[in-house]
Amino acid sequence: MTETENNQPEAPATSSMIPGGRHDSELFRVYSRILDGITDHALLPGKKLTESDLCRQMVCSRNTVRGALSLLAHDKIVDLLPNRGAFVHVPDAKETRDVFETRIALEETVVNMLLDQNDESLSERLQPLYALVDEEEAAFARGDRVSWNRLANAFHIELARLLDNDVLLEMMHAVCARSSLIIAVFDKPKDRLRHTYCEHREILDLLAEGKRNRACKLMRRHLGECQARLLRKFEAESMEF
């Protein structure tokens, strides 16, 4: 990772973890800037994305912006509304359930596939993820919310990357990006679980020890508690209207 001006490691942006060979294109540059703004919660759900503003900010053509917004709409991150323009997508309760149920199943599959490999080097291959969790804890301790969110997300992406399965990795990236958008709608920084990094570290320990059932159970609980908290907040907000 590169270093920031404060000599802290720069957390990987969501776009930097996307697999594929399109990273050098102008279209991907604009797509990534918008995506990272949304997943970093700088562009909040419901915000209008004006083409002229984006062209000016990113120094690019209107066609490039339109192409990027179309890709983001395909990924369910942006909504393109006829005669109104583009808006950051606002998920509802059903989408929250659907996304998290899918994510729980997918991440449990990752755990099982890793242990199905019977790879004696798994413990060694997990070491970079321990370092990632250490950075996540440090970001939380210094109150760096953006880096903390990025690193928490990167943990799950990098765990899937160990399988060297491009299709599964693409699915993980998509579901993690949509989860981040849902969190931006319902969750407030002060309300989030303080010790996500503790559970991340425990998941790694269980994988290194080959404890399949306990690792799957913890992964389900880790994501399931987040889903339940978000749905409770959605229901509470709905009752206010």
Side-chain angles (χ1 to χ4, degrees), residues 19-34:
R22 52 186 176 136
H23 289 236
D24 292 334
S25 72
E26 179 70 357
L27 179 61
F28 185 80
R29 180 183 72 84
V30 175
Y31 170 93
S32 347
R33 286 273 303 276
I34 301 172

Side-chain angles (χ1 to χ4, degrees), residues 201-219:
R201 197 173 284 124
E202 187 177 351
I203 288 168
L204 294 178
D205 289 343
L206 292 171
L207 283 169
E209 295 165 9
K211 296 180 178 178
R212 180 189 302 267
N213 291 339
R214 288 180 60 188
C216 287
K217 182 178 180 180
L218 179 55
M219 184 66 84

